[in-house]
Amino acid sequence: GQQLNQSPQSMFIQEGEDVSMNCTSSSIFNTWLWYKQDPGEGPVLLIALYKAGELTSNGRLTAQFGITRKDSFLNISASIPSDVGIYFCAGQVSGGSNYKLTFGKGTLLTVNP
Amino acid sequence: DAGVTQSPTHLIKTRGQHVTLRCSPISGHKSVSWYQQVLGQGPQFIFQYYEKEERGRGNFPDRFSARQFPNYSSELNVNALLLGDSALYLCASSRLQGVGYNEQFFGPGTRLTVL
């Protein structure tokens, strides 16, 4: 099935560093969402973006909805050990009757204390 | 408030068997979606139900079916299991009422292993 292009595939950083990851698509989405998944758990919603160009923050997390509506990025500032996990971007085409999410392959983040 | 709940947590089946997975959405949410997540990949959309009607279907064979009940809970059924059906099956619920209410919240998943 279709998956978005998410990069990097993995990151290994030191505690306190900033992190940036992005997601691109060949098609337009009306909504971009970022999720974090811990081992053995379901994805947890971090940030939802609804308008092209929108910049939204949630604590140390900041995400932007690309102007072309085909991309999004997520920044994490001053990383801490509990930021470890897999981060997924997801695009959604709202409208009509189908609101399925299309996911990226994920970015595995490791934070070294 | 309780989040999305799924049962069972883990399940082991053999090839050719069938399986039923269950999901209860967040209170007030009328839409349930099912996703399959194979190890190392992002979730793949299987079905979406809203008000007991199928609203979307992903690229999965007819062995996969689902339904939604009047209380908005849902079941995912998979027949004639194959080894490749081994995955984490995720259920997500949403209000599905206008812009800003389409955020999907996921349950912990059911880990299915087919031997």
Side-chain angles (χ1 to χ4, degrees):
Chain A
Q2 179 192 6
Q3 288 201 313
L4 306 178
N5 299 312
Q6 187 172 347
S7 64
Q9 189 173 0
S10 62
M11 300 182 74
F12 188 94
I13 63 171
Q14 296 295 122
E15 183 176 358
E17 290 184 352
D18 296 344
V19 171
S20 184
M21 58 192 79
N22 67 76
C23 204
T24 60
S25 169
S26 58
S27 51
I28 289 173
F29 290 108
N30 296 337
T31 302
W32 281 92
L33 305 104
W34 285 90
Y35 289 87
K36 177 176 182 255
Q37 187 174 28
D38 292 329
E41 302 289 331
V44 174
L45 181 63
L46 299 174
I47 291 180
L49 302 154
Y50 298 101
K51 292 173 60 176
E54 178 182 0
L55 187 70
T56 297
S57 293
N58 178 10
R60 295 178 295 105
L61 277 61
T62 301
Q64 184 157 29
F65 191 144
I67 294 286
T68 64
R69 293 160 65 191
K70 292 184 178 181
D71 63 318
S72 177
F73 73 74
L74 174 71
N75 286 341
I76 304 173
S77 62
S79 59
I80 59 178
S82 63
D83 290 333
V84 165
I86 303 177
Y87 291 79
F88 289 99
C89 62
Q92 185 179 58
V93 180
S94 303
S97 60
N98 186 345
Y99 291 85
K100 74 170 187 178
L101 294 175
T102 301
F103 281 84
K105 289 188 175 182
T107 295
L108 174 61
L109 177 63
T110 303
V111 180
N112 191 30
Chain B
D1 286 342
V4 178
T5 59
Q6 292 186 244
S7 64
T9 305
H10 296 87
L11 204 53
I12 298 175
K13 292 285 189 178
T14 56
R15 283 177 296 175
Q17 286 188 312
H18 72 273
V19 68
T20 298
L21 310 180
R22 296 177 175 83
C23 170
S24 292
I26 293 170
S27 177
H29 286 194
K30 298 183 178 181
S31 176
V32 169
S33 297
W34 288 95
Y35 293 81
Q36 180 196 64
Q37 186 177 24
V38 174
L39 198 62
Q41 301 291 320
Q44 292 283 327
F45 173 75
I46 309 176
F47 286 111
Q48 182 187 45
Y49 277 77
Y50 176 64
E51 291 282 15
K52 295 168 294 198
E53 290 187 2
E54 181 183 303
R55 293 299 186 97
R57 171 186 283 259
N59 189 23
F60 280 82
D62 291 343
R63 299 184 296 107
F64 288 76
S65 64
R67 55 179 176 168
Q68 187 177 31
F69 299 99
N71 66 353
Y72 305 112
S73 67
S74 177
E75 284 182 354
L76 175 69
N77 295 284
V78 187
N79 293 324
L81 286 167
L82 303 174
L83 295 179
D85 294 332
S86 296
L88 181 67
Y89 287 85
L90 296 162
C91 172
S93 79
S94 64
R95 293 182 187 276
L96 204 63
Q97 291 176 350
V99 175
Y101 292 96
N102 300 323
E103 298 154 352
Q104 296 189 21
F105 298 88
F106 285 83
T110 293
R111 172 70 62 187
L112 172 64
T113 302
V114 182
L115 302 177

